[in-house]
């Protein structure tokens, strides 16, 4: 029919039709995941309030400084590092040593050329530093082991960061 009144050039009856059409349209695809995600974050927040604080992430690496380095020159992903190391099992059994060979080991850090414990540990060491890296199997050779390293072995490395190129 005939428009009853005009509001800013739109008839009231036309505005009502638009309103009805808007109600029947489905919600955008992001609404449900956003609601669920928000709900989860609220639950997580309440949980932390009740228990205190979130648990720390598992630590697959422990670094004990033996001799401090320069404290300012740290390797960055992709740089070549030169290290001397001795690797032992928890039992004290030595399985490898660049020191015994008299030949420092070189590799590009952060590129997956070595076990994750080395990539992560050496990036926290400064030039000249010597440290004891205790590496859990998750960042070592894992369930498979390798060569003289048994499955699920905790590895202990005495590592010296000689140079960064």
């Amino acid at each position: 029919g005939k428009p009853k009144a005009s509001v800013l050039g739109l008839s009231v009856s036309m505005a009502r039709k638009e309103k009805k059409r808007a109600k029947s349209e489905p919600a955008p695809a992001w609404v449900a995941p956003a609601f669920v995600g928000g709900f989860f974050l609220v639950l997580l927040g309440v949980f932390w309030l009740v228990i205190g604080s979130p648990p720390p992430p598992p630590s697959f690496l422990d670094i004990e400084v033996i001799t401090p380095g320069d404290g300012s020159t740290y390797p960055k992903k992709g740089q070549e590092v030169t290290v001397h190391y001795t690797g032992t099992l928890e039992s004290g059994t030595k399985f490898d040593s660049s020191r015994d060979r008299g030949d420092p080991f070189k590799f590009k850090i952060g590129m997956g050329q070595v076990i994750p414990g080395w990539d992560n540990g050496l990036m926290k060491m400064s030039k000249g530093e010597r440290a004891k890296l205790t590496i859990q199997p998750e960042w070592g050779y894992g369930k498979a082991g390798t060569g003289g390293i048994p499955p699920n072995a905790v590895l202990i490395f005495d590592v010296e960061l000689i140079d960064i190129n």
Side-chain angles (χ1 to χ4, degrees), residues 7-89:
V7 180
L8 297 175
L10 291 175
S11 71
V12 174
S13 61
M14 284 174 67
R16 283 188 188 135
K17 283 181 185 174
E18 287 299 316
K19 198 173 190 179
K20 283 181 187 174
R21 197 173 305 139
K23 281 184 183 176
S24 65
E25 290 176 8
W30 59 268
V31 171
F35 175 76
V36 171
F39 182 71
F40 175 74
L41 289 175
V42 168
L43 278 179
L44 198 57
V46 169
F47 180 72
W48 287 346
L49 283 174
V50 171
I51 67 161
S53 63
S59 177
F60 301 132
L61 171 68
D62 181 61
I63 303 170
E64 182 183 321
V65 176
I66 298 169
T67 307
D70 70 7
S72 61
T73 313
Y74 293 86
K76 293 174 185 64
K77 185 177 179 176
Q79 288 184 309
E80 184 182 75
V81 294
T82 304
V83 300
H84 253 319
Y85 69 92
T86 299
T88 59
L89 301 174

Side-chain angles (χ1 to χ4, degrees), residues 91-160:
S91 65
T93 304
K94 187 189 314 180
F95 58 82
D96 195 10
S97 176
S98 67
R99 288 187 184 95
D100 290 354
R101 289 190 298 275
D103 186 23
F105 179 62
K106 295 179 181 187
F107 69 98
K108 286 189 177 183
I109 197 159
M111 306 301 286
Q113 294 180 352
V114 293
I115 58 174
W118 268 42
D119 270 342
N120 287 280
L122 280 154
M123 287 181 95
K124 292 180 172 77
M125 293 174 63
S126 63
K127 185 175 177 177
E129 185 172 328
R130 186 169 177 175
K132 175 182 164 186
L133 304 182
T134 302
I135 303 170
Q136 298 303 311
E138 292 85 350
W139 277 10
Y141 292 102
K143 294 176 184 173
T146 186
I149 300 169
N152 298 311
V154 173
L155 308 174
I156 300 166
F157 287 95
D158 174 336
V159 182
E160 180 183 1

